[in-house]
Amino acid sequence: MLSVMVGTMASIMSSTIINVAIPGLSQHFVLGQERVQWVSSGFMVAMTVAMLTTPWLLARFGYRKTYLGTMVLLMAGGIAGGLADNFSLVLAARVAEGLAAGAVQPIPAIIMMRAFEPSEQGKAGGLFGMGVVLAPAIGPSIGGVLVDLFGWRSIFFMVVPFCLTAIWLALKFVPSSAPGGEAAERGAALDWRGALLGAGGTLCLLNGLVELHGDSMLQATALLVAAAGALVTFIWWQKRMLSSGREPLMNLQLFGHRTFAMGSIVSFIYGTALFGSTYLLPVYMLLGLKLSASHVGTILLPAGLVLAFTIPGVARMTNRVPTYVLVTTGLVLLAASFALMPTVGLSASLGLLVAWAVLGRIGLGFILPSLNLGALRSLDKDLVPFGASAISFLRMLGGAAGVSLCGIVLEWRLAVHGDSLANPDTSPARLAAFNESFFFLAALCCLAIVAAWQLRPQRPAAGQ
């Protein structure tokens, strides 16, 4: 678990830390914000789709070769991006990093379910969760210092020591077998058509949501219709693969398990709310409350530390407290933190803002270690790799959509109140628009609560 935690931390850090380098990239290559933003978007699309390939990679190459391959690819992407003098090469390096990050992220959950007894899974999840949460918490802070001292290229090189450590640990501790202790097979072929449909659909969805920010409603509609078409075709193709005895990219038998199906819905909505809030909260503090960047970091730091220490405690409860109780509790706390944000105004104490941010992170601490374990425990062992990759894919897809959705809702409410973020001065109208956007996130959490309540065990029918 420690071995794969190091590599997963590197992959998560590479996904979050790049944001502090975007201004430097834009200036170095003389690019507009929309084009340079593709270093984040390209990474996100590659990571989301690569998550679906993890079961095939593990079955064909085993744990060790798959993990080593992702670390080598992540390190190569970091070195190539750091040395690049052409923006196309930077973008290609980010896509390579995204592919590695996506393929590696479901592996810890698979190991947790296959290598640990149920009574030990909570402890393993708590240890892993605490380490992984610290990566995005400290990554941007370290990245900001590196950019100030050494420039944007240093951000790419930051993953290299993590990858080298992960490779050394993998050679010593990660088994070469496939899930279940079986020998890795080399006969199965990857479902390339499914992968292309998934990539195309994800790309159309994200671009369609971005276009909704602009004036081209026709282009946005066309992209969203194409995304819906790709989804329908993807489901049809996966059913055809399964019925013909071939191995699909996403095993749709997973969704025949009620607990997993409900957990997937919660995971998607939760990803939307989580990633949406990570965009909305800093913008609210910077442009709504007119706080400095240093104030924003100071306010969010206690919340990140509370989250890191909440996860191990909750993880130890997963064997005693039902999953639906833990997840529902977390969603209620998260919804409350969003709903209470309007109590913070220009004249309110910053301590109130810290309190609501901490409350939300405590909610996340209840959700993170319990949702995956609860959803995967209902599966047969041979479906666990598919389940881990599918639920990670849905969470990231929801997260990618959540950032755009929050931006759309905020722009809509600003327009209704007759304000714009381009206006240098804050106003009651702007605060009202932000408050209504927080209510939107709270409503999403309430929707997830409905699905989370369905995670409770079914009662046997009368006479059984």
Side-chain angles (χ1 to χ4, degrees):
M1 284 303 299
L2 286 171
S3 300
V4 296
M5 186 176 79
V6 173
T8 309
M9 285 177 67
S11 69
I12 293 174
M13 198 173 287
S14 69
S15 70
T16 58
I17 201 173
I18 194 66
N19 292 328
V20 297
I22 284 178
L25 278 166
S26 178
Q27 193 171 28
H28 181 84
F29 292 107
V30 195
L31 298 171
Q33 183 71 16
E34 289 184 4
R35 190 175 175 200
V36 79
Q37 194 65 37
W38 268 103
V39 297
S40 291
S41 300
F43 182 98
M44 184 69 76
V45 172
M47 178 171 66
T48 304
V49 176
M51 287 177 174
L52 294 177
T53 67
T54 304
W56 176 82
L57 289 169
L58 291 177
R60 184 158 187 179
F61 301 108
Y63 285 117
R64 184 185 296 168
K65 287 183 179 178
T66 300
Y67 186 62
L68 288 173
T70 59
M71 290 300 99
V72 169
L73 184 60
L74 184 64
M75 184 168 62
I79 294 171
L83 297 175
D85 277 324
N86 180 286
F87 180 69
S88 297
L89 185 55
V90 171
L91 187 56
R94 285 296 289 168
V95 170
E97 286 186 309
L99 291 171
V104 78
Q105 286 193 33
I107 293 178
I110 297 169
I111 290 176
M112 226 179 294
M113 298 302 298
R114 299 301 296 256
F116 291 89
E117 294 296 326
S119 60
E120 296 293 321
Q121 288 169 359
K123 291 180 183 178
L127 172 68
F128 177 78
M130 185 170 69
V132 169
V133 163
L134 287 175
I138 65 174
S141 302
I142 297 173
V145 173
L146 288 175
V147 169
D148 287 341
L149 293 176
F150 306 109
W152 62 268
R153 295 181 185 277
S154 60
I155 293 298
F156 284 91
F157 292 125
M158 187 175 171
V159 299
V160 173
F162 285 92
C163 291
L164 289 173
T165 304
I167 289 170
W168 176 74
L169 288 169
L171 290 171
K172 289 176 69 68
F173 299 112
V174 176
S176 58
S177 63
E182 300 172 0
E185 300 174 2
R186 295 191 170 270
L190 179 64
D191 177 15
W192 288 105
R193 292 182 185 179
L196 290 173
L197 283 169
T202 303
L203 199 58
C204 288
L205 174 65
L206 298 185
N207 277 313
L209 290 172
V210 169
E211 288 298 328
L212 286 175
H213 289 264
D215 300 324
S216 180
M217 188 57 65
L218 181 62
Q219 188 173 349
T221 304
L223 286 167
L224 292 175
V225 168
L231 171 63
V232 172
T233 309
F234 178 80
I235 293 172
W236 167 80
W237 178 252
Q238 296 308 289
K239 286 183 176 179
R240 182 175 174 181
M241 289 282 290
L242 197 60
S243 63
S244 63
R246 290 176 288 175
E247 191 170 280
L249 198 65
M250 180 186 288
N251 194 326
L252 299 180
Q253 290 177 330
L254 293 166
F255 301 98
H257 296 261
R258 175 174 170 272
T259 305
F260 181 83
M262 292 300 106
S264 297
I265 294 172
V266 174
S267 189
F268 180 83
I269 301 173
Y270 156 73
T272 304
L274 172 62
F275 282 78
S277 68
T278 58
Y279 158 78
L280 188 62
L281 197 54
V283 173
Y284 169 63
M285 288 189 277
L286 289 168
L287 301 180
L289 301 180
K290 289 296 179 181
L291 300 176
S292 66
S294 59
H295 269 101
V296 172
T298 304
I299 289 168
L300 294 179
L301 182 60
L305 294 174
V306 167
L307 173 60
F309 288 100
T310 301
I311 286 176
V314 174
R316 291 175 180 271
M317 298 166 58
T318 55
N319 295 320
R320 305 189 305 273
V321 182
T323 298
Y324 76 95
V325 173
L326 293 174
V327 175
T328 301
T329 301
L331 288 169
V332 168
L333 293 174
L334 192 58
S337 74
F338 293 141
L340 289 168
M341 279 297 172
T343 63
V344 181
L346 294 173
S347 59
S349 167
L350 290 182
L352 200 60
L353 185 57
V354 173
W356 301 152
V358 167
L359 181 66
R361 289 306 180 260
I362 292 174
L364 292 179
F366 272 81
I367 300 167
L368 283 169
S370 52
L371 180 57
N372 272 12
L373 285 175
L376 296 177
R377 276 175 177 167
S378 65
L379 301 178
D380 298 331
K381 285 195 172 183
D382 58 335
L383 285 178
V384 166
F386 291 98
S389 66
I391 206 164
S392 298
F393 168 78
L394 291 169
R395 183 177 64 250
M396 289 306 304
L397 187 62
V403 175
S404 291
L405 281 175
C406 275
I408 292 165
V409 170
L410 178 59
E411 287 183 5
W412 167 43
R413 299 318 299 166
L414 284 168
V416 168
H417 290 287
D419 200 351
S420 167
L421 293 180
N423 184 356
D425 299 318
T426 192
S427 66
R430 177 176 296 186
L431 290 178
F434 274 107
N435 292 341
E436 289 160 8
S437 300
F438 282 119
F439 283 138
F440 166 72
L441 288 174
L444 279 180
C445 291
C446 291
L447 188 62
I449 288 170
V450 176
W453 200 248
Q454 301 303 312
L455 289 169
R456 66 188 189 279
Q458 289 181 297
R459 294 179 180 177
Q464 291 185 346

